[in-house]
Amino acid sequence: IHYTMDPVFDYNLDNHSTTNDIIKTTEISVNLHFGYREKFIVDDFNRMSIGSKIPMVDLKYTRGISNVFGSNFNYHKLDLKIEHEFPLGNMGKSNVWLRTGKIFNPLPYPLLNIHLGNQTFFYAWFSFNMMNYFEFISDQYASMTYVHHFNGYILNRIPLMKKLKWRTVVNFSVLQGSLNQKNIDLIPASEQNFTTFTGEPYMEVGYGIENIFKVLRIQAFHRLTYKENPGAQVFAIKGTFQFSF
């Protein structure tokens, strides 16, 4: 994979200052996936995993190679993802995603881990829904996303709600990371608008209702830490369309 980026900021690499220099990278990645007796839904063009009886594991190694198609950087990255669904009988089911990763070489911050924020009105399961864009970056991190679908365990006890077939859902996300001083030194002071992790992790919690009219999910979210960050939003209501099986 080859990337070309034209940053609007200056950066330093190996003590050589560059001004609005184009960042070019060429990467080779190897991904190992383990899913014991994993099951899939397959149509003519797509294949969707519906899980495995034990946790599924993805291990990805990325090698950045310089002087290939004009690339500038040599680097190594490792990323690990573990996900699993826990059926809990009448109490519904839980889904857990664990992720961790590390970058082993100093790089300009567009090539670091820029953790996905979400400043829209739409819920996104793959992002941190109360985090701003480009708010947190790291060169090593660990995160967990936990979602529990109660199915009808709570609302089915209310007669009128039972007929609607609405379902309650809660989720919790936590992220901890760090940024090496060598990477911080590459970023001009005027561009250091991001947050580095202190002793506490970033955390947020959400709760709401899904299966509204069989396609709508609405949740309230609270940001639990780093609430004093500039522009931080501590509460939001977000929705999404989804189909439940």
Side-chain angles (χ1 to χ4, degrees), residues 13-31:
L13 190 66
D14 296 330
N15 296 320
H16 297 290
S17 177
T18 64
T19 303
N20 294 335
D21 200 10
I22 293 176
I23 297 175
K24 295 182 179 181
T25 65
T26 300
E27 295 182 348
I28 296 175
S29 298
V30 177
N31 188 78

Side-chain angles (χ1 to χ4, degrees), residues 202-218:
Y202 171 87
M203 294 186 290
E204 64 183 32
V205 64
Y207 51 88
I209 298 174
E210 59 184 352
N211 205 45
I212 302 171
F213 308 123
K214 297 184 179 181
V215 296
L216 183 62
R217 173 173 171 174
I218 297 178

Side-chain angles (χ1 to χ4, degrees), residues 9-123:
F9 60 89
D10 302 343
Y11 66 90
N12 296 292
L13 190 66
D14 296 330
N15 296 320
H16 297 290
S17 177
T18 64
T19 303
N20 294 335
D21 200 10
I22 293 176
I23 297 175
K24 295 182 179 181
T25 65
T26 300
E27 295 182 348
I28 296 175
S29 298
V30 177
N31 188 78
L32 300 177
H33 174 77
F34 175 77
Y36 178 71
R37 294 186 177 180
E38 185 177 0
K39 296 182 179 180
F40 299 89
I41 297 175
V42 181
D43 62 17
D44 292 337
F45 301 101
N46 299 293
R47 187 176 75 157
M48 183 178 71
S49 173
I50 57 174
S52 169
K53 291 185 177 180
I54 65 173
M56 295 184 296
V57 179
D58 284 275
L59 178 62
K60 183 179 181 181
Y61 167 73
T62 301
R63 173 76 161 93
I65 307 173
S66 64
N67 301 316
V68 177
F69 302 116
S71 57
N72 309 116
F73 307 101
N74 282 306
Y75 54 89
H76 303 269
K77 296 182 181 181
L78 275 178
D79 292 281
L80 174 67
K81 180 179 72 171
I82 302 172
E83 59 180 297
H84 191 54
E85 180 179 293
F86 297 88
L88 298 174
N90 292 334
M91 290 192 64
K93 64 179 181 180
S94 292
N95 295 91
V96 178
W97 293 267
L98 302 174
R99 293 179 174 87
T100 186
K102 182 176 177 62
I103 299 172
F104 293 88
N105 307 87
L107 290 172
Y109 83 79
L111 300 180
L112 300 177
N113 299 310
I114 302 176
H115 300 288
L116 290 176
N118 179 15
Q119 293 178 255
T120 73
F121 295 107
F122 297 96
Y123 164 73

Side-chain angles (χ1 to χ4, degrees), residues 105-242:
N105 307 87
L107 290 172
Y109 83 79
L111 300 180
L112 300 177
N113 299 310
I114 302 176
H115 300 288
L116 290 176
N118 179 15
Q119 293 178 255
T120 73
F121 295 107
F122 297 96
Y123 164 73
W125 69 268
F126 52 84
S127 70
F128 296 93
N129 284 277
M130 296 302 296
M131 183 185 292
N132 292 334
Y133 300 134
F134 301 101
E135 185 176 357
F136 289 87
I137 65 174
S138 69
D139 50 42
Q140 59 181 0
Y141 73 95
S143 70
M144 181 191 74
T145 299
Y146 172 83
V147 180
H148 183 75
H149 304 268
F150 282 97
N151 296 335
Y153 183 74
I154 295 176
L155 294 183
N156 278 359
R157 300 171 187 273
I158 306 172
L160 294 178
M161 299 301 294
K162 183 176 181 179
K163 292 183 179 180
L164 292 173
K165 295 184 179 179
W166 290 5
R167 305 292 185 245
T168 47
V169 59
V170 298
N171 61 288
F172 172 73
S173 297
V174 57
L175 168 69
Q176 181 63 282
S178 63
L179 189 61
N180 191 283
Q181 186 61 46
K182 291 182 179 180
N183 281 316
I184 296 175
D185 292 341
L186 298 181
I187 307 171
S190 60
E191 296 294 331
Q192 293 185 10
N193 300 318
F194 56 87
T195 297
T196 55
F197 294 89
T198 58
E200 63 180 357
Y202 171 87
M203 294 186 290
E204 64 183 32
V205 64
Y207 51 88
I209 298 174
E210 59 184 352
N211 205 45
I212 302 171
F213 308 123
K214 297 184 179 181
V215 296
L216 183 62
R217 173 173 171 174
I218 297 178
Q219 284 190 255
F221 287 91
H222 297 268
R223 180 174 177 140
L224 303 180
T225 56
Y226 296 96
K227 294 187 287 186
E228 296 78 17
N229 278 10
Q233 189 176 15
V234 298
F235 175 77
I237 295 177
K238 304 193 177 193
T240 189
F241 293 96
Q242 66 177 30

